[in-house]
Amino acid sequence: MKKYWKSVVVLSFIIIGLSSYLIHSALLASELPRFELEHKSGDESLVDSMSVAGVYIDDKYHNAFDFDGEDTNYRSDSTFFEDMIGGYDPVKERLIDEYRDFMRGAPYLYQNYYDGDDALVIVEEDWNHRYNQMETDLKVSYLNKETEEEQKFTIDLEDGNYANVIEVQYVDGEIFVFSDHANSNERVLMEYVYDVESKQLISEKEILKSEGSNENEVDYSQINKLYESVPYQPMESLIFRAEEVEMEEFEEGLREVGREEKLFQYELKTGEITELDLPVEDYGYANRYDGQYIYFEQPNDENTISIRPYDLEKEEFQEEIEIVQHKIKNELDQSQHVEQLRPTIYEVRDQLLYTLENNSLKVIDVESGETVYEGEVSSNDGIDMENVRFDDMRFE
């Protein structure tokens, strides 16, 4: 019996610690406020699939939560095992509920999946270190929602190639995987096309290449995709950004001294890629894309920014929409006694602009400029909403 006493002691500490954690989480969760979305005007269905992430800050803790208009889910509400795998994710929870077997063991969901009426596709990067090089393969899982047919296959990349998945689409029985490849100061955007019926990789081609200057070793380049309305939704075209950045070495370290940025539109059905004739430095930062409009951000002053929607088909800008950046005293963190910006968060979907300014939610029709929904986030617990910070908005 003596030889087991150490194991018994360790197990006891684990049980006591886990019990304390669960009790503390339960007590904390019962005391935290719950939120509700009060409808003021407009079409309520526009916010049915919207959720926001934020933080409620009390005297002791920063309590992260997600709110979908009805239910409030705090990180402290999560089970021990949910915390282990990353906490609450409303989109992943929905997919697990609808496709439990297919989703078993699914990795993170960000830009690496597609969820349409016809199919669900998830692509996972598989990294391996071999002979001091990083190798990446892409593991693809496909589900036909009508027939419930499943396929799993691997896209083998060249040795020593690092790849990061930045988009997945499905068009007419073909899976499109776009990945960003890094090699020294060169960035390459690759497209892989897999035919579901023949179970063959039918195309593998380079879409874009961006290179830093060889004259200066610290110059670099990058390729990324404009963030679209909903990361997993079907898209007819995609917008990519290629940047070449000039850096110089100063006494205090590296400093950016120049940047060239170009935007490209890629049509999925035709495979055509076109450089957009837009002097982006004049219009601001191209931030989002919803299939019709590119949304440029342009700061006006320290308190406001303008959102400038550009209609790709008409090749013209819509009316600017101004977003306020509220300056408030930072009373949420007693260690800091400075003013900070409390920004309005926004998202775009189906040619609609969603803004959450403090706790006031608005939905604006981009073409007409009219407000088509207004609501207000509040709490029945009598808390000061100044202690609530909203950080993100997303659609399920």
Coordinates of all heavy atoms in Angstrom, one line a residue, residues 132-217:
N132 N 14.8 19.5 -40.7 CA 14.9 20.9 -40.4 C 14.1 21.7 -41.4 O 14.3 22.9 -41.6 CB 16.4 21.4 -40.5 CG 17.3 20.8 -39.5 OD1 16.8 20.6 -38.3 ND2 18.5 20.4 -39.8
Q133 N 13.1 21.1 -42.0 CA 12.1 21.8 -42.8 C 10.7 21.5 -42.4 O 10.4 20.5 -41.8 CB 12.3 21.3 -44.3 CG 13.5 21.8 -45.0 CD 13.5 21.5 -46.5 OE1 13.1 20.4 -46.8 NE2 14.0 22.4 -47.3
M134 N 9.8 22.5 -42.7 CA 8.4 22.4 -42.4 C 7.7 21.9 -43.6 O 7.8 22.5 -44.7 CB 7.8 23.7 -41.9 CG 6.3 23.7 -41.7 SD 5.8 22.9 -40.2 CE 6.2 24.1 -39.0
E135 N 7.0 20.8 -43.4 CA 6.2 20.2 -44.5 C 4.7 20.4 -44.1 O 4.3 20.2 -43.0 CB 6.5 18.8 -44.8 CG 7.9 18.6 -45.3 CD 8.2 17.1 -45.6 OE1 7.2 16.3 -45.5 OE2 9.3 16.8 -46.0
T136 N 3.9 20.7 -45.1 CA 2.4 20.8 -44.9 C 1.7 20.0 -45.9 O 1.9 20.1 -47.1 CB 2.0 22.3 -45.0 OG1 2.9 23.1 -44.2 CG2 0.6 22.5 -44.5
D137 N 0.7 19.2 -45.4 CA -0.3 18.6 -46.2 C -1.6 19.1 -45.8 O -1.8 19.6 -44.7 CB -0.3 17.1 -46.0 CG 1.0 16.4 -46.6 OD1 1.6 17.0 -47.5 OD2 1.4 15.4 -46.0
L138 N -2.6 19.1 -46.7 CA -3.9 19.6 -46.5 C -4.9 18.4 -46.4 O -5.1 17.7 -47.4 CB -4.3 20.6 -47.6 CG -3.4 21.8 -47.7 CD1 -3.9 22.7 -48.9 CD2 -3.3 22.6 -46.4
K139 N -5.5 18.2 -45.3 CA -6.5 17.1 -45.1 C -7.9 17.7 -45.3 O -8.3 18.6 -44.6 CB -6.3 16.5 -43.7 CG -5.0 15.7 -43.6 CD -5.0 15.0 -42.2 CE -3.7 14.2 -42.0 NZ -3.6 13.5 -40.7
V140 N -8.6 17.1 -46.3 CA -9.9 17.6 -46.6 C -11.0 16.6 -46.3 O -10.9 15.4 -46.6 CB -10.0 18.0 -48.1 CG1 -11.3 18.6 -48.5 CG2 -8.8 18.9 -48.5
S141 N -12.1 17.1 -45.6 CA -13.3 16.3 -45.3 C -14.5 16.9 -46.0 O -14.7 18.2 -45.9 CB -13.5 16.3 -43.8 OG -12.4 15.7 -43.2
Y142 N -15.2 16.1 -46.7 CA -16.4 16.6 -47.5 C -17.6 15.9 -47.2 O -17.6 14.6 -47.0 CB -16.0 16.4 -49.0 CG -17.3 16.4 -49.9 CD1 -17.8 17.6 -50.4 CD2 -17.8 15.2 -50.4 CE1 -19.0 17.6 -51.2 CE2 -18.9 15.2 -51.2 CZ -19.5 16.4 -51.6 OH -20.6 16.4 -52.4
L143 N -18.7 16.6 -47.0 CA -20.0 16.0 -46.8 C -21.0 16.6 -47.8 O -21.2 17.8 -47.8 CB -20.5 16.3 -45.3 CG -21.9 15.9 -45.0 CD1 -22.1 14.4 -45.0 CD2 -22.4 16.5 -43.7
N144 N -21.7 15.7 -48.5 CA -22.8 16.0 -49.4 C -24.0 16.0 -48.5 O -24.5 15.0 -48.0 CB -22.9 15.1 -50.6 CG -24.0 15.5 -51.5 OD1 -25.2 15.8 -51.1 ND2 -23.7 15.5 -52.8
K145 N -24.7 17.2 -48.3 CA -25.8 17.3 -47.4 C -27.0 16.6 -47.9 O -27.9 16.2 -47.0 CB -26.1 18.8 -47.1 CG -25.0 19.5 -46.3 CD -25.4 20.9 -46.0 CE -24.4 21.6 -45.1 NZ -24.8 22.9 -44.7
E146 N -27.2 16.4 -49.2 CA -28.4 15.8 -49.7 C -28.3 14.3 -49.6 O -29.2 13.6 -49.2 CB -28.6 16.2 -51.2 CG -29.9 15.6 -51.8 CD -30.2 16.1 -53.2 OE1 -29.4 17.0 -53.6 OE2 -31.1 15.6 -53.8
T147 N -27.1 13.7 -50.1 CA -27.0 12.3 -50.1 C -26.3 11.7 -48.9 O -26.3 10.5 -48.7 CB -26.1 11.9 -51.3 OG1 -24.8 12.4 -51.2 CG2 -26.7 12.4 -52.6
E148 N -25.7 12.6 -48.0 CA -25.0 12.2 -46.8 C -23.7 11.5 -47.2 O -23.1 10.8 -46.3 CB -25.8 11.4 -45.9 CG -27.0 12.2 -45.3 CD -27.8 11.5 -44.3 OE1 -27.4 10.3 -44.0 OE2 -28.7 12.1 -43.7
E149 N -23.3 11.6 -48.5 CA -22.0 11.0 -48.9 C -20.8 11.7 -48.2 O -20.8 13.0 -48.2 CB -21.8 11.0 -50.4 CG -20.5 10.6 -50.9 CD -20.1 11.0 -52.3 OE1 -21.0 11.7 -52.9 OE2 -19.0 10.7 -52.8
E150 N -19.8 11.0 -47.7 CA -18.6 11.6 -47.2 C -17.4 11.2 -47.9 O -17.3 10.1 -48.4 CB -18.5 11.2 -45.7 CG -19.5 11.8 -44.8 CD -19.3 11.5 -43.3 OE1 -18.1 11.3 -43.0 OE2 -20.2 11.4 -42.5
Q151 N -16.5 12.1 -48.1 CA -15.1 11.8 -48.6 C -14.1 12.5 -47.8 O -14.3 13.6 -47.3 CB -15.0 12.3 -50.1 CG -15.8 11.5 -51.1 CD -15.5 12.0 -52.5 OE1 -14.3 12.3 -52.8 NE2 -16.4 12.0 -53.4
K152 N -13.0 11.8 -47.6 CA -11.8 12.3 -47.0 C -10.6 12.1 -47.9 O -10.4 11.0 -48.3 CB -11.6 11.7 -45.6 CG -12.7 12.0 -44.6 CD -12.4 11.4 -43.2 CE -13.6 11.6 -42.3 NZ -13.8 13.1 -41.9
F153 N -9.8 13.1 -48.1 CA -8.6 12.9 -48.9 C -7.5 13.9 -48.5 O -7.8 14.9 -47.7 CB -8.9 13.1 -50.4 CG -9.5 14.5 -50.7 CD1 -8.7 15.5 -51.2 CD2 -10.9 14.7 -50.6 CE1 -9.2 16.7 -51.5 CE2 -11.4 15.9 -51.0 CZ -10.6 16.9 -51.4
T154 N -6.3 13.7 -49.0 CA -5.2 14.6 -48.6 C -4.6 15.2 -49.9 O -4.4 14.5 -50.9 CB -4.1 13.8 -47.9 OG1 -4.7 13.3 -46.7 CG2 -2.9 14.7 -47.5
I155 N -4.3 16.5 -49.8 CA -3.6 17.2 -50.9 C -2.1 17.3 -50.4 O -1.8 17.9 -49.5 CB -4.1 18.6 -51.1 CG1 -5.6 18.6 -51.5 CG2 -3.3 19.4 -52.1 CD1 -6.3 19.9 -51.6
D156 N -1.3 16.6 -51.1 CA 0.1 16.5 -50.8 C 0.9 17.7 -51.4 O 0.8 17.9 -52.7 CB 0.8 15.2 -51.3 CG 0.2 14.0 -50.6 OD1 0.0 14.0 -49.4 OD2 -0.1 13.0 -51.4
L157 N 1.5 18.5 -50.6 CA 2.3 19.6 -51.1 C 3.7 19.2 -51.3 O 4.2 18.2 -50.8 CB 2.1 20.8 -50.1 CG 0.7 21.2 -49.8 CD1 0.7 22.4 -48.9 CD2 -0.1 21.4 -51.0
E158 N 4.5 20.1 -52.0 CA 5.9 19.9 -52.2 C 6.7 19.9 -50.9 O 6.3 20.6 -49.9 CB 6.5 20.9 -53.1 CG 5.9 20.9 -54.5 CD 6.5 22.0 -55.4 OE1 7.4 22.6 -54.9 OE2 6.1 22.1 -56.6
D159 N 7.7 19.1 -50.8 CA 8.5 19.1 -49.6 C 9.1 20.5 -49.3 O 9.4 21.3 -50.1 CB 9.7 18.1 -49.8 CG 9.3 16.7 -49.9 OD1 8.2 16.4 -49.6 OD2 10.1 15.9 -50.3
G160 N 9.0 20.8 -48.0 CA 9.6 22.0 -47.5 C 8.6 23.2 -47.7 O 9.0 24.3 -47.5
N161 N 7.4 22.9 -48.1 CA 6.4 24.0 -48.4 C 5.5 24.2 -47.2 O 4.9 23.3 -46.7 CB 5.6 23.6 -49.6 CG 5.3 24.8 -50.4 OD1 5.3 26.0 -50.0 ND2 5.0 24.6 -51.7
Y162 N 5.5 25.5 -46.7 CA 4.6 25.8 -45.7 C 3.3 26.4 -46.3 O 3.4 27.3 -47.2 CB 5.2 26.9 -44.8 CG 4.3 27.6 -43.8 CD1 3.9 27.0 -42.6 CD2 3.7 28.8 -44.2 CE1 3.0 27.6 -41.8 CE2 2.8 29.4 -43.3 CZ 2.4 28.8 -42.1 OH 1.5 29.5 -41.3
A163 N 2.2 26.0 -45.8 CA 0.9 26.5 -46.4 C -0.1 26.9 -45.3 O -0.2 26.2 -44.3 CB 0.3 25.5 -47.3
N164 N -0.8 28.0 -45.6 CA -1.8 28.4 -44.6 C -3.1 28.6 -45.4 O -3.2 29.4 -46.4 CB -1.4 29.8 -44.0 CG -2.5 30.4 -43.1 OD1 -3.1 29.6 -42.3 ND2 -2.8 31.6 -43.3
V165 N -4.2 27.8 -45.0 CA -5.5 27.9 -45.8 C -6.1 29.2 -45.5 O -6.3 29.6 -44.3 CB -6.4 26.7 -45.3 CG1 -7.7 26.9 -46.0 CG2 -5.7 25.4 -45.7
I166 N -6.5 29.9 -46.6 CA -7.2 31.2 -46.4 C -8.6 31.3 -47.0 O -9.3 32.2 -46.8 CB -6.4 32.4 -46.9 CG1 -6.1 32.2 -48.4 CG2 -5.1 32.5 -46.2 CD1 -5.4 33.4 -49.0
E167 N -9.0 30.2 -47.7 CA -10.4 30.2 -48.3 C -10.7 28.8 -48.7 O -9.8 28.0 -49.3 CB -10.5 31.1 -49.4 CG -11.8 31.2 -50.1 CD -12.9 31.7 -49.2 OE1 -12.6 32.6 -48.4 OE2 -14.1 31.4 -49.5
V168 N -12.0 28.4 -48.5 CA -12.5 27.1 -49.1 C -13.8 27.4 -49.7 O -14.7 28.1 -49.1 CB -12.7 26.1 -47.9 CG1 -13.3 24.8 -48.5 CG2 -11.4 25.8 -47.2
Q169 N -14.0 26.9 -50.9 CA -15.3 27.1 -51.6 C -15.7 25.8 -52.3 O -14.9 24.9 -52.5 CB -15.2 28.2 -52.7 CG -15.2 29.6 -52.1 CD -16.5 30.0 -51.5 OE1 -17.6 29.8 -52.1 NE2 -16.5 30.7 -50.4
Y170 N -17.0 25.7 -52.7 CA -17.5 24.5 -53.4 C -18.4 25.0 -54.5 O -19.4 25.7 -54.2 CB -18.3 23.6 -52.4 CG -18.9 22.4 -53.0 CD1 -18.2 21.2 -53.2 CD2 -20.3 22.4 -53.3 CE1 -18.8 20.1 -53.7 CE2 -20.9 21.3 -53.8 CZ -20.1 20.1 -54.1 OH -20.7 19.0 -54.6
V171 N -18.1 24.6 -55.7 CA -18.9 25.1 -56.9 C -19.1 23.9 -57.8 O -18.1 23.3 -58.3 CB -18.2 26.2 -57.6 CG1 -19.0 26.7 -58.8 CG2 -17.9 27.4 -56.7
D172 N -20.3 23.6 -58.1 CA -20.7 22.6 -59.1 C -19.9 21.3 -59.0 O -19.3 20.8 -59.9 CB -20.5 23.1 -60.5 CG -21.4 24.3 -60.8 OD1 -22.4 24.4 -60.2 OD2 -21.0 25.2 -61.6
G173 N -19.8 20.7 -57.8 CA -19.2 19.4 -57.5 C -17.7 19.5 -57.4 O -17.0 18.5 -57.4
E174 N -17.1 20.7 -57.3 CA -15.7 20.9 -57.2 C -15.3 21.7 -55.9 O -16.0 22.7 -55.6 CB -15.1 21.6 -58.4 CG -15.3 20.8 -59.7 CD -14.8 21.6 -60.9 OE1 -14.5 22.8 -60.8 OE2 -14.7 20.9 -62.0
I175 N -14.3 21.2 -55.2 CA -13.9 21.8 -54.0 C -12.7 22.7 -54.3 O -11.7 22.2 -54.9 CB -13.5 20.8 -52.9 CG1 -14.7 19.9 -52.5 CG2 -12.9 21.4 -51.7 CD1 -14.4 18.7 -51.7
F176 N -12.7 23.9 -54.0 CA -11.6 24.9 -54.2 C -11.0 25.2 -52.8 O -11.6 25.6 -51.9 CB -12.1 26.2 -54.8 CG -12.7 26.1 -56.2 CD1 -13.9 25.5 -56.4 CD2 -12.0 26.5 -57.3 CE1 -14.4 25.4 -57.7 CE2 -12.4 26.4 -58.6 CZ -13.7 25.9 -58.8
V177 N -9.6 25.0 -52.8 CA -8.9 25.3 -51.6 C -7.8 26.3 -52.0 O -7.0 26.1 -52.9 CB -8.2 24.0 -51.0 CG1 -7.4 24.4 -49.7 CG2 -9.3 23.0 -50.6
F178 N -7.8 27.5 -51.3 CA -6.8 28.5 -51.6 C -5.9 28.6 -50.4 O -6.3 28.6 -49.2 CB -7.5 29.9 -51.8 CG -8.3 29.9 -53.0 CD1 -9.7 29.5 -52.9 CD2 -7.9 30.3 -54.2 CE1 -10.5 29.6 -54.0 CE2 -8.7 30.4 -55.3 CZ -10.0 30.0 -55.2
S179 N -4.6 28.6 -50.6 CA -3.6 28.6 -49.5 C -2.5 29.5 -49.8 O -2.0 29.7 -51.0 CB -3.1 27.2 -49.2 OG -2.4 26.6 -50.3
D180 N -2.0 30.2 -48.8 CA -0.9 31.1 -48.9 C 0.4 30.4 -48.6 O 0.6 29.8 -47.5 CB -1.1 32.2 -47.9 CG 0.1 33.2 -47.7 OD1 0.8 33.3 -48.7 OD2 0.3 33.7 -46.6
H181 N 1.4 30.4 -49.5 CA 2.6 29.7 -49.3 C 3.8 30.7 -49.1 O 3.9 31.6 -49.8 CB 3.0 28.8 -50.5 CG 2.0 27.7 -50.7 ND1 2.3 26.4 -50.8 CD2 0.6 27.7 -50.8 CE1 1.3 25.6 -50.9 NE2 0.2 26.4 -50.9
A182 N 4.6 30.4 -48.1 CA 5.7 31.3 -47.8 C 7.0 30.6 -48.0 O 7.2 29.4 -47.6 CB 5.6 31.7 -46.3
N183 N 7.9 31.3 -48.7 CA 9.2 30.8 -49.0 C 10.2 31.9 -49.0 O 10.2 32.7 -50.0 CB 9.3 30.0 -50.3 CG 10.6 29.4 -50.6 OD1 11.5 29.3 -49.7 ND2 10.8 28.9 -51.8
S184 N 11.0 32.1 -48.0 CA 11.9 33.2 -47.9 C 11.1 34.5 -47.9 O 10.2 34.6 -47.1 CB 13.0 33.2 -49.0 OG 13.9 34.2 -48.9
N185 N 11.4 35.4 -48.8 CA 10.6 36.7 -48.8 C 9.6 36.6 -49.9 O 9.0 37.7 -50.3 CB 11.6 37.9 -49.1 CG 12.2 37.8 -50.4 OD1 12.3 36.8 -51.0 ND2 12.7 39.0 -50.9
E186 N 9.3 35.5 -50.5 CA 8.3 35.3 -51.5 C 7.0 34.7 -51.0 O 7.0 33.8 -50.1 CB 8.9 34.4 -52.6 CG 7.9 34.1 -53.7 CD 8.5 33.1 -54.7 OE1 8.3 31.8 -54.5 OE2 9.1 33.5 -55.7
R187 N 5.9 35.2 -51.4 CA 4.6 34.7 -51.0 C 3.9 34.3 -52.3 O 3.8 35.1 -53.3 CB 3.8 35.7 -50.2 CG 4.5 36.3 -49.0 CD 4.8 35.2 -48.0 NE 3.7 34.7 -47.3 CZ 3.2 35.1 -46.1 NH1 3.9 36.0 -45.5 NH2 2.2 34.5 -45.6
V188 N 3.2 33.1 -52.3 CA 2.5 32.6 -53.4 C 1.1 32.2 -53.0 O 1.0 31.5 -52.0 CB 3.3 31.4 -54.1 CG1 2.4 30.8 -55.2 CG2 4.6 31.9 -54.5
L189 N 0.1 32.6 -53.7 CA -1.3 32.1 -53.5 C -1.5 31.0 -54.5 O -1.5 31.2 -55.7 CB -2.2 33.3 -53.7 CG -3.7 32.9 -53.6 CD1 -4.0 32.5 -52.2 CD2 -4.6 34.1 -54.0
M190 N -1.8 29.8 -53.9 CA -2.1 28.6 -54.7 C -3.6 28.3 -54.6 O -4.3 28.5 -53.6 CB -1.3 27.4 -54.2 CG 0.2 27.6 -54.3 SD 0.7 27.6 -56.1 CE 0.2 25.9 -56.6
E191 N -4.1 27.7 -55.7 CA -5.4 27.2 -55.8 C -5.4 25.7 -56.1 O -4.7 25.3 -57.1 CB -6.3 27.9 -56.9 CG -7.7 27.3 -57.0 CD -8.3 27.7 -58.4 OE1 -7.7 27.2 -59.4 OE2 -9.3 28.4 -58.4
Y192 N -6.1 24.9 -55.3 CA -6.2 23.4 -55.6 C -7.7 23.1 -55.8 O -8.6 23.5 -55.0 CB -5.7 22.6 -54.4 CG -4.3 22.9 -54.0 CD1 -3.9 23.9 -53.1 CD2 -3.2 22.2 -54.7 CE1 -2.6 24.2 -52.8 CE2 -1.9 22.5 -54.3 CZ -1.6 23.5 -53.4 OH -0.3 23.8 -53.1
V193 N -8.0 22.4 -56.9 CA -9.4 22.1 -57.2 C -9.5 20.6 -57.3 O -8.8 19.9 -58.0 CB -9.8 22.7 -58.6 CG1 -11.2 22.4 -58.9 CG2 -9.5 24.2 -58.6
Y194 N -10.5 20.1 -56.5 CA -10.7 18.6 -56.4 C -12.1 18.3 -56.9 O -13.1 18.9 -56.5 CB -10.6 18.2 -54.9 CG -10.9 16.7 -54.6 CD1 -9.9 15.8 -54.8 CD2 -12.1 16.3 -54.3 CE1 -10.1 14.4 -54.5 CE2 -12.4 15.0 -54.0 CZ -11.4 14.1 -54.1 OH -11.7 12.7 -53.8
D195 N -12.2 17.3 -57.8 CA -13.5 16.9 -58.4 C -14.1 15.8 -57.5 O -13.4 14.7 -57.4 CB -13.3 16.5 -59.8 CG -14.7 16.1 -60.4 OD1 -15.4 17.0 -60.8 OD2 -14.9 14.9 -60.5
V196 N -15.2 16.0 -56.9 CA -15.8 15.1 -56.0 C -16.2 13.8 -56.7 O -16.0 12.7 -56.2 CB -17.0 15.7 -55.3 CG1 -17.8 14.7 -54.5 CG2 -16.6 16.8 -54.4
E197 N -16.8 13.9 -57.9 CA -17.3 12.7 -58.6 C -16.1 11.8 -59.0 O -16.2 10.6 -58.8 CB -18.1 13.1 -59.9 CG -18.7 11.9 -60.6 CD -19.6 12.4 -61.8 OE1 -19.7 13.6 -62.0 OE2 -20.1 11.5 -62.5
S198 N -15.1 12.3 -59.6 CA -14.0 11.5 -60.1 C -13.0 11.2 -58.9 O -12.1 10.4 -59.1 CB -13.2 12.2 -61.2 OG -12.6 13.4 -60.8
K199 N -13.1 11.9 -57.8 CA -12.2 11.8 -56.7 C -10.8 12.0 -57.1 O -9.8 11.3 -56.7 CB -12.4 10.4 -56.0 CG -13.8 10.1 -55.5 CD -13.9 8.8 -54.8 CE -15.3 8.5 -54.3 NZ -15.4 7.2 -53.7
Q200 N -10.6 13.1 -57.9 CA -9.2 13.4 -58.4 C -9.0 14.9 -58.1 O -9.9 15.8 -58.2 CB -9.1 13.1 -59.9 CG -9.3 11.7 -60.2 CD -8.1 10.8 -59.8 OE1 -7.0 11.3 -59.8 NE2 -8.4 9.6 -59.4
L201 N -7.7 15.2 -57.9 CA -7.2 16.6 -57.8 C -7.0 17.0 -59.3 O -6.1 16.5 -60.0 CB -5.9 16.7 -57.1 CG -5.4 18.2 -56.8 CD1 -6.4 18.9 -55.8 CD2 -4.0 18.1 -56.2
I202 N -7.9 17.9 -59.8 CA -7.9 18.2 -61.3 C -7.1 19.4 -61.6 O -6.9 19.7 -62.8 CB -9.3 18.2 -61.8 CG1 -10.1 19.4 -61.1 CG2 -10.0 16.9 -61.7 CD1 -11.5 19.6 -61.7
S203 N -6.8 20.2 -60.6 CA -6.1 21.5 -60.9 C -5.2 21.9 -59.7 O -5.7 21.8 -58.6 CB -7.1 22.6 -61.3 OG -6.4 23.8 -61.5
E204 N -4.0 22.4 -60.0 CA -3.1 22.9 -59.0 C -2.4 24.0 -59.7 O -1.5 23.8 -60.5 CB -2.2 21.8 -58.5 CG -1.2 22.3 -57.5 CD -0.2 21.1 -57.1 OE1 -0.6 19.9 -57.4 OE2 0.8 21.4 -56.5
K205 N -2.7 25.3 -59.3 CA -2.0 26.4 -60.0 C -1.8 27.6 -59.1 O -2.4 27.8 -58.1 CB -2.9 26.8 -61.2 CG -4.3 27.4 -60.8 CD -5.0 27.8 -62.1 CE -6.4 28.4 -61.7 NZ -7.2 28.8 -62.9
E206 N -0.8 28.4 -59.5 CA -0.4 29.6 -58.8 C -1.4 30.7 -59.3 O -1.5 31.0 -60.5 CB 1.0 29.9 -59.2 CG 1.6 31.2 -58.5 CD 3.0 31.4 -59.0 OE1 3.9 30.6 -58.7 OE2 3.2 32.4 -59.7
I207 N -2.0 31.4 -58.3 CA -2.9 32.5 -58.6 C -2.2 33.8 -58.6 O -2.4 34.7 -59.5 CB -4.1 32.5 -57.7 CG1 -4.8 31.2 -57.7 CG2 -5.0 33.7 -58.0 CD1 -5.4 30.9 -59.0
L208 N -1.4 34.1 -57.5 CA -0.7 35.3 -57.3 C 0.6 35.1 -56.8 O 0.9 34.1 -56.1 CB -1.5 36.2 -56.4 CG -2.6 37.1 -56.9 CD1 -3.3 37.9 -55.7 CD2 -2.2 38.1 -58.0
K209 N 1.6 36.0 -57.1 CA 2.9 35.9 -56.4 C 3.3 37.3 -56.0 O 3.1 38.3 -56.8 CB 3.9 35.3 -57.4 CG 5.3 35.3 -56.8 CD 6.4 34.8 -57.8 CE 6.2 33.3 -58.0 NZ 7.3 32.7 -58.8
S210 N 3.8 37.4 -54.8 CA 4.3 38.7 -54.3 C 5.7 38.5 -53.8 O 5.9 37.6 -52.9 CB 3.4 39.3 -53.2 OG 3.8 40.5 -52.8
E211 N 6.6 39.4 -54.2 CA 8.0 39.2 -53.8 C 8.6 40.4 -53.2 O 8.4 41.6 -53.7 CB 8.9 38.8 -55.0 CG 8.5 37.5 -55.7 CD 9.4 37.2 -56.9 OE1 9.2 37.9 -57.9 OE2 10.3 36.4 -56.8
G212 N 9.3 40.3 -52.1 CA 10.1 41.4 -51.6 C 11.3 41.6 -52.4 O 11.8 40.8 -53.2
S213 N 11.9 42.8 -52.3 CA 13.1 43.1 -53.0 C 14.3 42.4 -52.5 O 14.6 42.3 -51.3 CB 13.4 44.6 -53.0 OG 14.6 44.9 -53.5
N214 N 15.1 41.8 -53.4 CA 16.3 41.1 -53.1 C 17.4 42.1 -52.7 O 18.5 41.7 -52.2 CB 16.8 40.2 -54.2 CG 15.8 39.0 -54.4 OD1 15.3 38.5 -53.4 ND2 15.7 38.6 -55.6
E215 N 17.2 43.4 -53.0 CA 18.3 44.3 -52.7 C 18.4 44.6 -51.2 O 19.4 45.0 -50.7 CB 18.0 45.6 -53.5 CG 18.0 45.5 -55.0 CD 17.6 46.8 -55.7 OE1 17.4 47.8 -55.0 OE2 17.5 46.8 -56.9
N216 N 17.3 44.4 -50.5 CA 17.3 44.6 -49.1 C 16.7 43.4 -48.4 O 15.6 43.0 -48.6 CB 16.4 45.9 -48.8 CG 16.6 46.3 -47.3 OD1 16.9 45.5 -46.5 ND2 16.4 47.6 -47.1
E217 N 17.5 42.8 -47.6 CA 17.1 41.5 -47.0 C 15.9 41.6 -46.1 O 15.2 40.6 -45.8 CB 18.3 40.9 -46.2 CG 19.4 40.4 -47.2 CD 20.5 39.8 -46.4 OE1 20.4 39.7 -45.1 OE2 21.5 39.3 -47.0

